[in-house]
Amino acid sequence: MSQLKINQYYMDQPGDGPWTRIKNRVTRRSIPVFPRTIQIQTFTGCNADCIFCPYGETYTTQPKGKMPIELFRRIIDEAAEHDVRRISPYLMNEPLMDREMFDKIRYINEKIPDCKVVVTTNGHFLTPPVTDKILAMGEGIHKLYVSFQGIDKESYEKTMRGNMDFDRTMANVNQFIDTQRARGLASPKLWITMVDTAVIDARKAVAYWKGRGVASKYTTLENRGGNIKDAETFSRTRSMSYYSTCTRLFKQAYIMFNGDLVLCCVDYSREQVLGNIVGSSVYDVWNGPVAKEIRRRYLGHEFDKLPLCGNCKIDEEREVSFDEDGTETITEASDD
């Protein structure tokens, strides 16, 4: 992600003179008063244990549970009052393990028809009955991302671990593709995603899916706010740098099953809770003193005073994606 993207935002800083404040307000955008995108942890649990994810290390120490449906609906009702562009009904979990997932997506569609619903799954539960439910939703799901690490069985299972089985996931993805094409459906748009590491051959995998006419991409390896201690050992370039141009905390909200709004999607241990929305609202927590102070410090490059952000590193290799027509796009990091 370029320095330009982070410089799109501003906050009035102590010591800014009148001219600086005026210039910022003319040339940059203020922090939105409500998040543009929201990720919601509808329940806790995942059957994978990917090497680039802190889930396996943190799951035993973290609270577990399911978000009350009343709280979920209240979040969506509040989001409907604002310009929310995207809602992802998952966070640090495997969404297809939630048996009420499709009812929740329908509620989003009903309350915010123009909002894009994006789902990321590891594909283990993408069975024919689940495929039928997804395809029946049509444009109700804007994009379906399948985290499919590599294209070789050994490297795939070494990366995804847990009870992930290469042959099962490949069969699930193939039947989804075949069923969708047989029915002549374009939605939801399927993407195969992977994290670029030394364990897998991401370029070979992307080329495979490109040859099948399936959109795919590999994204930049992160150490997840320092939570992946050995990330550099499986970095493909063996060269990771501090991530100082992240825009997540300026536009994205991450809500845990119990209503905690955490700093980032990498905050598996709740190192920085901005507030809890059960007795409040997303708006109030998003605009609260904790959130504002963190953003001020980030824009002021006071990273040593910030948990997670001060330890976050990314691989220096850029992200590459191929649409189903073979169009290539290059960026430097993913916002997802």
Side-chain angles (χ1 to χ4, degrees):
M1 185 172 295
S2 67
Q3 186 66 29
L4 179 61
K5 263 193 173 182
I6 192 70
N7 285 342
Q8 289 178 349
Y9 295 95
Y10 83 91
M11 287 181 69
D12 289 337
Q13 300 276 7
D16 284 350
W19 170 243
T20 299
R21 293 174 187 267
I22 293 172
K23 182 177 69 172
N24 282 341
R25 292 171 188 180
V26 171
T27 61
R28 301 183 184 184
R29 65 177 66 173
S30 61
I31 311 302
V33 297
F34 199 83
R36 292 286 182 250
T37 66
I38 301 176
Q39 277 191 252
I40 305 171
Q41 184 184 60
T42 65
F43 81 107
T44 54
C46 184
N47 61 306
D49 180 21
C50 301
I51 61 173
F52 49 78
C53 175
Y55 175 80
E57 292 292 325
T58 60
Y59 180 69
T60 58
T61 65
Q62 295 305 301
K64 301 170 184 62
K66 181 179 180 180
M67 177 176 284
I69 190 62
E70 297 80 14
L71 179 58
F72 178 85
R73 288 176 178 171
R74 184 157 66 80
I75 294 169
I76 303 307
D77 291 348
E78 186 179 0
E81 299 174 1
H82 299 273
D83 183 24
V84 175
R85 300 172 181 172
R86 185 186 76 210
I87 293 179
S88 297
Y90 65 91
L91 177 62
M92 308 174 194
N93 70 338
E94 167 50 47
L96 296 186
M97 290 172 63
D98 184 350
R99 295 181 180 180
E100 300 172 355
M101 176 56 59
F102 298 105
D103 290 335
K104 291 167 182 170
I105 293 174
R106 277 188 283 269
Y107 190 80
I108 299 171
N109 296 158
E110 175 189 340
K111 292 295 181 175
I112 325 175
D114 294 331
C115 180
K116 295 177 180 178
V117 176
V118 176
V119 175
T120 296
T121 174
N122 59 39
H124 182 87
F125 299 99
L126 192 62
T127 58
V130 173
T131 288
D132 288 338
K133 291 180 180 179
I134 292 173
L135 294 178
M137 303 202 77
E139 295 181 358
I141 298 178
H142 177 65
K143 286 183 181 178
L144 177 69
Y145 289 108
V146 178
S147 176
F148 199 123
Q149 304 302 314
I151 200 61
D152 301 301
K153 181 179 177 67
E154 182 179 359
S155 58
Y156 169 91
E157 294 179 358
K158 184 178 180 180
T159 301
M160 300 199 73
R161 304 184 301 192
N163 72 343
M164 297 302 295
D165 178 84
F166 175 85
D167 296 321
R168 172 180 171 135
T169 307
M170 179 61 81
N172 285 348
V173 172
N174 282 335
Q175 66 86 22
F176 183 93
I177 294 169
D178 293 343
T179 303
Q180 185 176 38
R181 288 177 175 172
R183 296 180 185 178
L185 301 174
S187 297
K189 184 171 182 179
L190 175 69
W191 276 86
I192 303 297
T193 69
M194 62 207 78
V195 177
D196 191 19
T197 70
V199 182
I200 67 171
D201 188 338
R203 288 143 194 81
K204 177 182 176 182
V206 165
Y208 170 82
W209 294 111
K210 178 183 176 182
R212 293 198 58 192
V214 177
S216 62
K217 67 178 179 178
Y218 57 83
T219 59
T220 306
L221 172 66
E222 301 179 32
N223 72 353
R224 305 292 179 101
N227 286 318
I228 306 298
K229 307 300 182 184
D230 61 344
E232 293 196 39
T233 66
F234 55 85
S235 160
R236 194 180 66 81
T237 65
R238 297 295 197 275
S239 179
M240 301 186 75
S241 56
Y242 282 102
Y243 193 9
S244 61
T245 59
C246 180
T247 60
R248 290 171 183 161
L249 68 166
F250 302 106
K251 61 183 181 179
Q252 298 183 203
Y254 306 92
I255 306 174
M256 308 295 276
F257 79 96
N258 68 340
D260 282 345
L261 202 160
V262 295
L263 174 67
C264 180
C265 56
V266 307
D267 195 359
Y268 282 72
S269 297
R270 306 180 195 223
E271 291 183 50
Q272 183 60 74
V273 177
L274 307 184
N276 188 284
I277 67 168
V278 171
S280 182
S281 66
V282 177
Y283 178 91
D284 288 340
V285 175
W286 179 259
N287 294 287
V290 177
K292 285 186 175 181
E293 180 62 12
I294 290 171
R295 295 184 192 116
R296 185 194 67 77
R297 288 181 173 179
Y298 196 97
L299 288 174
H301 291 162
E302 299 177 25
F303 301 116
D304 58 326
K305 299 178 181 178
L306 295 173
L308 295 172
C309 299
N311 297 312
C312 197
K313 290 184 177 181
I314 60 172
D315 204 319
E316 294 184 358
E317 186 72 15
R318 295 181 298 175
E319 169 186 315
V320 175
S321 63
F322 289 94
D323 213 328
E324 66 272 15
D325 63 0
T327 303
E328 179 178 355
T329 302
I330 300 178
T331 58
E332 292 185 4
S334 173
D335 287 336
D336 297 330

